[in-house]
Amino acid sequence: MSTATGYNFAYLDEQSKRMIRRAILKGVAIPGYQVPFGGREMPLPHGWGTGGMQVTASVIGETDKLKVIDQGADDTTNAVSIRRFFAHTAGVETTEQTADATLIQTRHRIPERPLQADQILIYQVPIPEPLRFIEPRESETRKMHALSEYGAMQVKLYEDVARFGHIATSYDYPVMVNNRYMMDPSPIPKFDNPKMSMMPALQLFGAGFEKRIYAVPPFTQVESLDFDDHPFEVQSWDEACAICGSDHSFLDEVITDDNGSKMFVCSDTDYCRERVEQGFVGTAADLPIADLSIAEVETN
Amino acid sequence: MAVSSHELIAGFADPVQASQQVFRAALKVMSEPGTRVEVDYVEQAPKGLDLSTWQLALSLLDPDTRVWLSPTLASSDAVISNLRFHCQCPLVEFPKDADFAIALNTELPQLAELNWGSAEYPDRSTTLVVQVPALSAEPFWTLSGPGIEHTRSLRIAGLPDAFRAELIKSRQRFPLGIDTFWCCDNRLTALPRTTKIEPRTTAIEPLNTEQEAC
Ligand SMILES: [Zn+2]
């Protein structure tokens, strides 16, 4: 496949790619540590996640197969546009199937299907610094990371426990990487946090506005913060997916008609489709999946 | 030193694609330490450089990266001319000032002479690229750490004992540290600062590795 003429391959200039590539290598060498990077801005529509785009543009090659998900779905406007963008500027094949993809750019979910060695998961990160809301000054958060001074985050989580009786933070739930650096996993649901640990695939994180890259190499320990008397727990549902019957995926609440009828379906649309193909059924098995993609999705 | 045009050789035939492929090879070995990959995007390297060293340079070096060369490489017209011409990277006199240090296994700087980064910015450290006579999966070193599910075996031939000891000990200073690429002909592996190295045998390894392929 050939790329459109008049563009740099994958849109980004070669010098910026080299800079980002060197930052990625350092990020991999220091798991969970935020590497600052320079380079030019990548002028892109709002909502595409420049950081994730810059990382993808620097990593992607002609033989890659790209999957893009937004909140678990392959068919949202942003996911479709980003896939088209790289198909156009890099001439790569795209796919919606997790198992087929070599690169997966994601906003806010980790696929339910376990990722494999040699796959790369690229997260779009809005705010890379987990300590930012505690300490606005970069020079100070750098020091806190240097000294592993993470008590303030424990205090914040414990305030949750004091107020609600449990840790209320359910997205952006902070983790410790390789027992050393505190890391913001990006706004994935904490349901996905355990998938980050010892994952056979490489995980790269790009924050465009703050120009930070960080990484979790394959088979690296990632632990969610918790307390002895309040251990980390993931979200769970009493319902199963109405389409595929899955009782172990992250579910979205979907409004199915004008009367406000609701049901729960897998947020990972590819996983749900795969299960339906395998013959799994839910309580709304007769409802075509296509109807759901246009329904209003509420994440809880 | 100026560029000697008669020493110049071709770089990548397709710089955009080859740079990306070599970067992915580098990313693979840095994120799965001790795995060995082959890179074959050039026909030849400047005399003195291995094919894999040359391809890493073409992929990662540019005017923003300060480079230190070990004495034999630093005095090679072919190496200097091609690095200047293809990468335009500034060359520095002291390893401490280098973003990348490229060394022969017989001319290794002491690790302490390199830049280890700072507590706030451990990424601002020298990446060390070493050319060695052989790389294999023989169980001389047992590696563990991020990127390795259980353990991985690696043998890097031709390293002075003192350097081996220094490298193993350097892990104590994490997150400061030196990340390393190891090049042999068209092969490449890496050991980031996170990789723990357990010498499996205390026997002294012979330095004579001439019959071995890498
Ligand atoms: Zn489902």
Side-chain angles (χ1 to χ4, degrees), chain A:
Chain A
M1 267 196 263
S2 64
T3 62
T5 50
Y7 289 102
N8 292 311
F9 180 79
Y11 199 66
L12 199 58
D13 64 283
E14 289 301 299
Q15 199 189 346
S16 296
K17 280 183 200 164
R18 267 195 306 274
M19 205 176 278
I20 290 168
R21 286 167 183 168
R22 293 191 297 258
I24 291 173
L25 291 171
K26 284 295 173 196
V28 163
I30 317 167
Y33 164 81
Q34 300 163 52
V35 185
F37 68 96
R40 255 158 258 151
E41 294 289 336
M42 203 168 169
L44 295 167
H46 184 72
W48 280 26
T50 23
M53 294 295 284
Q54 282 167 309
V55 171
T56 300
S58 304
V59 166
I60 202 165
E62 286 175 323
T63 54
D64 278 311
K65 221 177 206 191
L66 177 70
K67 171 183 165 84
V68 181
I69 49 172
D70 187 0
Q71 306 272 13
D74 296 84
D75 55 3
T76 68
T77 311
N78 279 343
V80 172
S81 306
I82 293 170
R83 269 204 310 277
R84 282 199 192 132
F85 176 84
F86 283 114
H88 186 65
T89 60
V92 295
E93 276 187 72
T94 61
T95 181
E96 296 192 2
Q97 299 186 22
T98 300
D100 276 0
T102 58
L103 299 184
I104 303 171
Q105 186 178 323
T106 180
R107 177 170 169 269
H108 304 353
R109 276 310 310 280
I110 297 175
E112 304 291 3
R113 179 189 241 280
L115 298 182
Q116 304 299 315
D118 285 324
Q119 289 186 307
I120 303 178
L121 183 59
I122 298 168
Y123 296 75
Q124 299 172 210
V125 181
I127 301 164
E129 178 50 74
L131 301 165
R132 185 61 73 227
F133 70 96
I134 295 165
E135 171 54 64
R137 286 167 299 176
E138 173 72 9
S139 58
E140 290 304 307
T141 52
R142 287 262 151 202
K143 255 181 228 156
M144 292 161 84
H145 285 295
L147 301 167
S148 301
E149 257 182 31
Y150 296 136
M153 182 62 87
Q154 292 284 354
V155 169
K156 192 256 168 195
L157 291 179
Y158 207 81
E159 280 169 3
D160 271 12
V161 173
R163 204 179 313 159
F164 309 109
H166 62 276
I167 300 172
T169 305
S170 56
Y171 288 83
D172 250 328
Y173 191 104
V175 294
M176 289 297 293
V177 179
N178 194 31
N179 218 9
R180 176 56 183 82
Y181 280 103
M182 184 179 289
M183 188 185 89
D184 190 315
S186 85
I188 57 172
K190 67 178 178 180
F191 178 89
D192 285 340
N193 278 20
K195 297 177 189 167
M196 303 180 95
S197 194
M198 300 306 277
M199 184 191 278
L202 170 64
Q203 302 172 73
L204 302 176
F205 300 76
F209 181 70
E210 299 204 31
K211 295 199 164 180
R212 296 282 186 277
I213 283 167
Y214 49 100
V216 176
F219 301 113
T220 300
Q221 264 199 8
V222 177
E223 280 182 273
S224 302
L225 268 60
D226 64 358
F227 305 93
D228 289 341
D229 50 343
H230 288 276
F232 174 78
E233 281 174 353
V234 299
Q235 293 101 323
S236 62
W237 290 263
D238 296 331
E239 299 81 0
C241 171
I243 299 169
C244 75
S246 169
D247 59 359
H248 55 266
S249 5
F250 188 85
L251 301 179
D252 283 334
E253 200 176 341
V254 177
I255 297 167
T256 51
D257 60 29
D258 292 342
N259 303 325
S261 308
K262 286 173 180 175
M263 63 184 204
F264 287 88
V265 297
C266 293
S267 124
D268 183 337
T269 52
D270 176 61
Y271 185 72
C272 200
R273 178 201 54 75
E274 199 177 32
R275 280 178 53 86
V276 168
E277 280 176 13
Q278 287 163 359
F280 291 99
V281 285
T283 51
D286 49 336
L287 221 78
I289 296 181
D291 286 359
L292 292 170
S293 61
I294 52 164
E296 188 185 340
V297 173
E298 281 177 20
T299 43
N300 44 356

